Amino acid sequence: MYKSLIIGAGAALLLAAPALACTDIASKTVKLTGCIDTEWVAGTGQGAQEFVYTTSDQNFGLQVITESDVVPAQQFHDAIIANAAKAINGTADDIKVLGERVENIDGKAFNVLEYTIPNSGNPVLFQNFYYSQPGFGSVQILGYSLASDGNAAAYKTGVFTSTVKLGG
């Protein structure tokens, strides 16, 4: 009995190991490090998109957007909405805000803005974690997916944010 219990525990560890594998990242703009799960495939960012990833099936996306400038929280919030509207050639009225909250990432209070954009009847859900402070700069951690996959996207984004370290 003990032998089968040990074998079962060993098999569980082997199956869990791939979920723990990740690739270290370090920003060149702000003092931020993290670890990207190996399920993410690196892409090429534009502008301040320092890190861009999608899953191999392209159902989920993750971006880390960094800037050396400090942006007041309300201005940051408004810019996120304006940029989302611009990306779809729409207006702020096209962006449906689902919720706002504050989450702790590495001991820092990140604002979180959840919103959807229209997408031919399949809204895309964005979970945008944003933070800005003097001496640090600004960062957005942006997870996205179809709205119908929102819970899975929140989990995947949370796995990454749990590895983020600031200032070191």
Side-chain angles (χ1 to χ4, degrees):
M1 176 165 167
Y2 289 113
K3 188 175 184 180
S4 61
L5 184 61
I6 290 171
I7 291 171
L13 286 174
L14 288 174
L15 291 174
L20 303 176
C22 62
T23 302
D24 291 330
I25 62 166
S27 173
K28 294 178 180 166
T29 308
V30 298
K31 292 180 179 178
L32 175 144
T33 60
C35 199
I36 299 289
D37 191 290
T38 55
E39 81 169 304
W40 294 104
V41 177
T44 303
Q46 297 177 4
Q49 297 171 330
E50 190 168 2
F51 301 100
V52 175
Y53 295 91
T54 59
T55 53
S56 59
D57 61 10
Q58 298 191 355
N59 287 339
F60 302 94
L62 180 71
Q63 296 180 9
V64 180
I65 302 165
T66 59
E67 296 186 33
S68 57
D69 295 336
V70 175
V71 182
Q74 187 61 51
Q75 185 179 340
F76 212 153
H77 171 279
D78 295 346
I80 290 167
I81 298 294
N83 287 338
K86 182 178 177 183
I88 61 168
N89 295 317
T91 68
D93 291 337
D94 296 321
I95 309 307
K96 181 179 177 186
V97 174
L98 303 176
E100 298 181 55
R101 65 184 183 280
V102 174
E103 295 227 358
N104 182 332
I105 298 177
D106 193 34
K108 309 292 186 213
F110 273 67
N111 292 297
V112 183
L113 177 60
E114 288 190 71
Y115 58 92
T116 60
I117 61 170
N119 178 42
S120 302
N122 291 310
V124 176
L125 172 68
F126 290 84
Q127 300 167 7
N128 194 319
F129 297 72
Y130 60 102
Y131 175 79
S132 187
Q133 287 294 314
F136 174 79
S138 300
V139 64
Q140 294 178 69
I141 299 170
L142 183 62
Y144 58 94
S145 68
L146 290 178
S148 59
D149 292 328
N151 288 337
Y155 174 78
K156 292 174 184 298
T157 304
V159 168
F160 171 67
T161 61
S162 72
T163 72
V164 169
K165 300 292 179 208
L166 304 176

